[in-house]
Amino acid sequence: ITFIKATHDIKTLLKVDQCRDEEQKQKLLHFASLLDGCLQLDPVQRLTSEQGFYHPFVYSEKSREAREQKQQEKQARREKKSKVKEEVRAAMAKQASDQKKKLKKARG
């Protein structure tokens, strides 16, 4: 497959350099980046749907922080659950060991 190089730069078409408002300029740069990623002809370089969804133009910083917070909470719950399971396993193993000792003592 032969890939064609674009003849126009998205940033130029959006007139990003002429924008004086820094916040607006940042939004334009994110938009240009999203468009560029979505319009890549090479499927390897093209954004996936998940990458597009989490792109800064689509996914705000606040929602990103909220997502990261939820992920951290989920990880903490997993770790707590894993710790509890390990404690239960250890208690069961100790109980089984104690029962074996009692049986040996009773037989012996």
Side-chain angles (χ1 to χ4, degrees):
I1 297 176
T2 304
F3 294 102
I4 303 167
K5 184 165 173 65
T7 56
H8 297 294
D9 179 36
I10 294 173
K11 293 176 195 171
T12 304
L13 291 172
L14 293 173
K15 300 181 180 182
V16 173
D17 293 337
Q18 296 175 13
C19 187
R20 301 216 188 284
D21 180 2
E22 282 303 314
E23 186 177 336
Q24 188 67 22
K25 187 174 188 174
Q26 190 64 33
K27 287 179 184 178
L28 283 171
L29 286 170
H30 286 312
F31 181 61
S33 168
L34 177 64
L35 279 179
D36 186 51
C38 291
L39 298 175
Q40 289 295 317
L41 295 176
D42 182 357
V44 173
Q45 293 180 353
R46 190 178 311 134
L47 290 179
T48 64
S49 57
E50 185 174 1
Q51 288 170 326
F53 180 76
Y54 291 115
H55 190 279
F57 182 76
V58 176
Y59 205 76
S60 72
E61 190 63 34
K62 251 186 200 179
S63 55
R64 181 177 305 141
E65 289 171 359
R67 186 179 124 252
E68 288 173 358
Q69 178 68 27
K70 284 181 183 179
Q71 287 176 336
Q72 289 173 353
E73 290 169 358
K74 191 174 183 179
Q75 181 64 27
R77 284 192 304 271
R78 274 193 219 127
E79 289 172 1
K80 185 176 180 180
K81 190 175 182 179
S82 178
K83 184 178 178 182
V84 168
K85 282 183 178 180
E86 189 58 41
E87 288 172 353
V88 168
R89 282 187 196 117
M92 290 174 70
K94 184 177 182 338
Q95 185 179 20
S97 175
D98 290 347
Q99 286 176 347
K100 282 182 184 179
K101 287 178 184 176
K102 285 181 184 178
L103 282 173
K104 280 185 181 181
K105 193 174 184 180
R107 289 181 187 167

